[in-house]
Amino acid sequence: MNPDYFIHAANILLLAAYSVRDILWLRLFAVASSLAAIPYFVFQPTPLWAPISWSAVFAAINLFQSWRLFVERRPVKLTPEEEAVRRLAFRDLPPRKVLQVLSIGSWTTADTGERLIEHGKCADAISLIIRGKVRVARDGCILGELVAGNLVGSALLLSGVPADVDAVAVEPVRAVRWELETLERYLTANPETRIIMQRHLALDLAGKLEGLSKLFRDR
């Protein structure tokens, strides 16, 4: 067989790689092109080891990157709790992004009577309630209750002042907790998630203000 056929095939595959828009197919065609070129260099009167070596390196790199892209594109199956987080706060985020957000936080469980916010202390984290109920009170006066979807510590996050309320679980609470510094670093690197997080934060605060207004009107 004429070795030129291999180099022609390699360049046709390389042309196909440059013609596709999907990066995964580009890399797969590049792998095929590098492998197709190797016989051309092997069947020369004297094997050309330098081109053979570089073709093998390029094929290996593109094959590895293709595998990474394939893994990233595989459908993600969320657990019921993870799906609850997505439904409550990150409905517009794809499942893989939801898993990223959860990976920088921690799952917590609070028993009845446990304090999530204590009067006089600054908040260093916020928590998203997945299930359960938290009562917010000031000097013995009940200001409201937080339920699934509410953020514990959101107002303190914006004000930066010590808490003037107590937040106590009135039934077992399951939540996701994020350290503020870690969350801020992640949101800085992922602006699309920041927008969705800020939107939920705004809705959360608006709901709390509406609840307080109703409470004071009833009184």
Side-chain angles (χ1 to χ4, degrees), residues 4 7 18 41-42 57 106 114 124 129 135 151-152 159 176 196 208 211:
D4 289 349
I7 200 66
Y18 292 151
F41 302 124
V42 171
V57 169
S106 58
E114 185 174 337
D124 59 354
I129 300 176
R135 180 169 295 164
L151 290 166
V152 181
S159 64
V176 183
I196 293 173
K208 291 174 181 176

Side-chain angles (χ1 to χ4, degrees), residues 5 15 21 25 34 39 48 60 82 92 132 141-142 156 171-172 196 207 218:
Y5 292 148
L15 179 62
R21 300 179 63 181
W25 280 107
S34 296
L48 304 177
E82 292 166 346
D92 295 331
C141 177
I142 298 175
L156 300 177
E171 60 185 53
I196 293 173
D218 293 343

Side-chain angles (χ1 to χ4, degrees), residues 75-91:
V76 173
K77 180 67 174 178
L78 300 178
T79 66
E81 283 191 329
E82 292 166 346
E83 183 59 42
V85 172
R86 182 170 185 254
R87 175 177 51 82
L88 291 169
F90 303 106
R91 191 180 300 272

Side-chain angles (χ1 to χ4, degrees), residues 18 21 51 56 58 68 73 81 84 101 115 120 128 134 140 154-155 157 164 175 181 184-186 193 215:
Y18 292 151
R21 300 179 63 181
F58 293 146
R68 287 187 59 187
R73 294 184 181 186
E81 283 191 329
V101 177
R115 294 177 185 269
L128 174 69
V134 175
S154 56
L157 169 64
D164 60 351
E181 291 185 3
E184 180 59 32
R185 286 196 300 270
Y186 177 82
T193 306
L215 177 65

